Structure formats: structure tokens, C-alpha cells
Amino acid sequence: MSDYTELLARVSAPEGSGRPIHDPATGAEIGRAPEASVDDLDAAIARARAAQPAWEALGHEARTEILLRAADTIDANAEALAELLSREQGKPLNGPNARFEIGACSAWLRTSATVALEPEVIVDDGEVHAELHYRAIGVVGAIGPWNWPLMIGIWQLAPALRMGNTVVLKPSEFTPLSVLALVSVLNEVLPADVLTAVSGDREVGARLASHPDVDKIMFTGSTATGRRIIESSAGNLARLTLELGGNDAGIVLPSADPQAIAQDLFWGAFINTGQTCAALKRLYVHDSIYDATVEALAEVARTTPMGNGLDEQNVLGPLQNKQQFDIVNRLVEDAKANGGRIVTGGSPATELGELFYPITLVADVADGVALVDEEQFGPALPIIRYSDVEDAVTSANRLDVGLGGSVWGDRDEARAVAARVQAGTVWINSHGGVHPMIPFGGVKGSGYGLEFGVEGLKAVAVPQIING
């Protein structure tokens, strides 16, 4: 078990080398990220390729036992990992944030290690006996984001390792230290070269996506980058799982109770201060309960503390980086210019720090305004009034994204509406909750492929028919 200082020292580049990483809440330098070269990546992939046959040969039972011990090492180092994550990403320790993310890492790893994937008998008619089996692909390249860097890293590496693949993981340039720390902790248990993290720039990421010895790419990030990965992977026909950008719509039906749903609506939109791919990003509310819903959300916003994540009382933090802060600020200013009514927030919270933006509810906007049509990925929510549910469904489906969506109100009525929403997951009276046994993935510009549960294991394996 390591404390924060020891864990950071394990993964930081020596003083005078590497790239400085700053705490988004304070601006203070917390460490220096190693900067691997393309040659370093090539060497890591070669080692992963050499280690893969022996890892696969261990079999499911042995790999499961090792992965369960690896989950125990996460728990043993949970507080140090959470502090490093909070300092580097900005999310508070408490609430659905840093400690929550570390707990999810070990829970997801345990589920991935133990979920059953049995051979399936396809035909058995007395003359032909055919079974469908799943085998390791080989080397999996995982490219992670900065918003949930550890949890999404586990989503990628856990099923891949369980199925007998080796993994080379490239963390986001914004949050490399926490990912390197997680991998260091896991490697206390894993055999050498089964899991490697390589911290580097975009050139390293591009090489990983196009490398001839990488058999599968898993990527979570923007749609634009996902398209480039598709192009880069064409040369080696690497299999792909892409969880890309979203602009999730929520539809509040007239049967909903604004006070009863306000807390869940709030966290559906503002978990991780809105920096979540499948967060609620545009909210359509029926005219009959529009004002009541806006005010109920505003009351939650006014009473939810934001600030430095190491302060135990805070549950909302800063934007992780200046680029994202500027996107949020631009979209809010544009909404103001287009007649949006600011209910809460509306301008940077400079009294808290350079990258803090308060929870901003923008009422009386419409489709076509940039804050509605573009993914804000931050603490600003447009709330759009509708009078006909058909119009709300049309609005929800009008954009070329479809990661998630939600419908709020009478359950049976909501399920009927949900069936017409074009999204990989549609939640009823909640938004954004994921479960390690429930498949998750997007449609349209939000990517393709499934993660989690049995389908997630199949996605990091190749099918093989045994016929005879």
C-alpha cells in the first residue's frame, strides 16, 4: 500500500524532464508526466506481443484469480489513487467523483474477471455438432479520455485481460499520472508486459491506432478523433470499439413530478461537473411543468457546493482544462446573445479559481442555438420548452449523435417514448447510470461496439466455430 507521495513518485518523470501536470483547481504543478516516444511505444507493443501467448495459455480460471488479486491492490491503494485523481483531474474526493471512481474500478475489474462466457452450441442435430467459442484477439491498444481516466481505463483493460489479450494503454495527455499510477498498482500482481501504459503525445496515440501489431483498438473520446482512428486502423484491419461524443437529450413528460425528479435530473446532467460523455446535455420539458422543473433544478444547483476537490464538503469541481473551459464559456455567451435566460450561473466563477464555471441553467432556448446543438461537456444545461411529445422526440433525434437519452414521467408512458429515441441506451426516470453487466455503446456519430458484461467480453475476443 502506498500513500499519495509514494504513488506519485513512482510514476512522475524526474525533475527537469517530462511535461508538467497542473492541478486544475489551483494551477499548482503536481508532477511531471513521462513523455514516451514512438520508439518507446513500438518496444512496449513488441513486449506485449511476446507476453500474450503465455497469458492466454493460463486459461480463464488462472487469469480470473490474478485479476481478482489486482482488484484487491486497487482497494489497498484507493485513497492515494483518489487523491492523485482529484489533484490531476479536478473532481472532488466526495460525491460521485474520485473515491466513487476508484471504487468503480475495483468493482468493474471483479465483474469482468468473473462473468461467465460459455461456449454456445449452435447446431446439434445428430449429424452436425457446432459450437461457438471465443478466443483472445492478441494485443489490444486502449486510448483513454481525461474525464473518467481510471474508470474508463478499467472498462478497456479489464475485459481485454480477462479474455487473454495483453494491453498497451495510452492515457490522455491531460491526466496521465493517475492512469500510470493505476497501472503501476495493477502491475504489482500482473505478469510482466501483460499491461503497459505509455504516456506520450498525439503522435504516440496515432502510432498506436495504426500499429501493425495491434489487433484491437478501444477508444473513448471525441467523434472527430474517432474518425481519424478508423482511418489509421485501416492498414492493419484492427477491430474497433469506439465510444464517441454525445449530446444526450432528456424528455420530461407532463406526468413527471418536478420536485421528485430534480435531484436525479441534476446529477444526470452535472455528474463530474458535466464532463461525462453520457451526461444529460439538453433537456426538453413539457410546457405544463416547465417553470416548476426549472425552479426545482435551480434550487438543487444553488445548494450544491463547488470548489477545490480536496475540500471534503465539495462535490463539484473545476473544468479539467482551459480548452474545455473556453468551450463552455463560448456556448453560454452565445446562448445569452440568442435570448437564453440565465437561471443560475452564467459567467466564470473566478473567485474559486481560473477554471471554475458555476452550474449554469439556461432557460427559454431552442433547437439551433449552439448550446443545444453542440456538446458542451461542462456545467451548462439548456432547457427547452415543448408542448407536443412528438416534437420533443423529433428534437431529441435530430442530431447525428446517439450515446444516451432519458425519458421522465409515468413509467409505461416513458417506455413507449423511449423506444422512439435514437440512442444506444435510454434510461427511464434516471440518466447516465451504468452497470458492469448491462451492455453500453452508442449509435450514429457516437460510435459503435459494446462494452460491459458478456457482450463486452465478446468485443475483445474473436469468435471461433468448432464444427464436428
Side-chain angles (χ1 to χ4, degrees):
M1 181 177 69
S2 298
D3 64 19
Y4 166 77
T5 303
E6 293 167 333
L7 192 61
L8 180 61
R10 278 200 216 177
V11 298
S12 284
E15 186 66 33
S17 65
R19 180 172 52 84
I21 300 295
H22 297 94
D23 183 336
T26 66
E29 182 177 315
I30 62 171
R32 303 188 71 83
E35 286 286 86
S37 66
V38 167
D39 288 342
D40 294 328
L41 175 69
D42 289 346
I45 293 171
R47 294 193 301 271
R49 173 66 66 189
Q52 191 275 326
W55 175 244
E56 183 180 6
L58 286 176
H60 284 295
E61 185 175 343
R63 288 196 301 273
T64 291
E65 188 274 330
I66 292 170
L67 292 174
L68 290 175
R69 287 194 286 118
D72 291 339
T73 67
I74 296 176
D75 291 338
N77 292 274
E79 192 61 18
L81 285 166
E83 182 174 347
L84 178 53
L85 176 61
S86 180
R87 290 177 183 269
E88 183 177 50
Q89 201 281 335
K91 64 182 64 183
L93 291 170
N94 289 325
N97 294 298
R99 288 178 177 133
F100 167 85
E101 183 167 350
I102 304 307
C105 286
S106 60
W108 235 273
L109 181 52
R110 288 189 175 94
T111 299
S112 295
T114 55
V115 62
L117 177 56
E118 303 294 343
E120 179 183 350
V121 176
I122 304 300
V123 175
D124 188 12
D125 60 7
E127 296 183 5
V128 176
H129 182 88
E131 295 179 350
L132 174 60
H133 295 249
Y134 287 89
R135 300 192 53 175
I137 299 175
V139 177
V140 172
I143 303 174
W146 51 259
N147 59 332
W148 294 91
L150 304 191
M151 188 168 70
I152 292 176
I154 287 288
W155 292 355
Q156 296 170 330
L157 68 88
L161 293 177
R162 157 65 197 284
M163 292 306 294
N165 305 290
T166 51
V167 177
V168 177
L169 189 156
K170 183 201 174 293
S172 165
E173 296 163 66
F174 291 110
T175 53
L177 295 175
S178 55
V179 175
L180 292 173
L182 175 66
V183 170
S184 175
V185 164
L186 294 173
N187 278 334
E188 293 175 13
V189 173
L190 294 172
D193 301 323
V194 164
L195 172 63
T196 307
V198 179
S199 171
D201 59 17
R202 292 185 180 184
E203 185 180 4
V204 171
R207 173 61 172 168
L208 180 59
S210 62
H211 200 287
D213 281 334
V214 172
D215 304 289
K216 165 90 181 190
I217 294 292
M218 304 184 77
F219 171 73
T220 297
S222 72
T223 299
T225 303
R227 295 184 193 281
R228 292 196 293 271
I229 287 173
I230 293 169
E231 294 170 358
S232 297
S233 66
N236 62 344
L237 295 178
R239 291 162 170 81
L240 300 173
T241 295
L242 303 174
E243 195 256 88
L244 307 179
N247 194 345
D248 289 13
I251 299 173
V252 180
L253 303 175
S255 57
D257 179 344
Q259 289 293 331
I261 66 174
Q263 280 280 347
D264 289 337
L265 276 175
F266 180 88
W267 287 112
F270 299 118
I271 186 172
N272 198 28
T273 316
Q275 299 165 109
T276 297
C277 298
L280 175 57
K281 297 188 171 82
R282 48 196 173 112
L283 185 62
Y284 296 89
V285 182
H286 191 269
D287 182 73
S288 64
I289 57 170
Y290 183 87
D291 293 335
T293 301
V294 170
E295 183 49 39
L297 274 171
E299 183 58 28
V300 179
R302 295 184 190 111
T303 56
T304 305
M306 172 181 283
N308 190 316
L310 298 182
D311 185 331
E312 297 279 353
Q313 74 170 356
N314 291 324
V315 291
L316 297 166
L319 275 302
Q320 200 285 324
N321 56 77
K322 183 64 162 57
Q323 293 93 316
Q324 198 59 45
F325 177 91
D326 289 343
I327 289 171
V328 173
N329 193 45
R330 171 180 62 82
L331 291 174
V332 173
E333 291 301 316
D334 179 80
K336 291 181 190 176
N338 282 281
R341 172 169 59 93
I342 301 299
V343 180
T344 64
S347 58
T350 53
E351 71 280 6
L352 297 177
E354 182 182 357
L355 296 181
F356 284 90
Y357 204 97
I359 297 297
T360 298
L361 301 175
V362 185
D364 303 334
V365 285
D367 290 351
V369 173
L371 182 61
V372 178
D373 287 10
E374 298 180 28
E375 182 182 24
Q376 69 277 59
F377 214 70
L381 179 68
I383 309 173
I384 304 103
R385 189 188 303 263
Y386 77 90
S387 57
D388 186 330
V389 71
E390 296 303 320
D391 293 338
V393 171
T394 298
S395 289
N397 292 338
R398 60 185 281 271
L399 302 178
D400 186 31
V401 285
L403 190 55
S406 57
V407 186
W408 305 72
D410 173 80
R411 185 173 181 272
D412 290 339
E413 182 186 2
R415 286 176 62 87
V417 174
R420 292 184 283 137
V421 174
Q422 296 169 0
T425 300
V426 184
W427 292 275
I428 305 298
N429 292 321
S430 66
H431 194 109
V434 290
H435 186 286
M437 286 301 297
I438 300 175
F440 180 75
V443 298
K444 299 195 288 188
S446 293
Y448 49 77
L450 290 172
E451 300 177 271
F452 312 161
V454 173
E455 295 303 319
L457 296 182
K458 292 178 180 179
V460 287
V462 287
Q464 181 184 45
I465 299 294
I466 306 295
N467 190 341

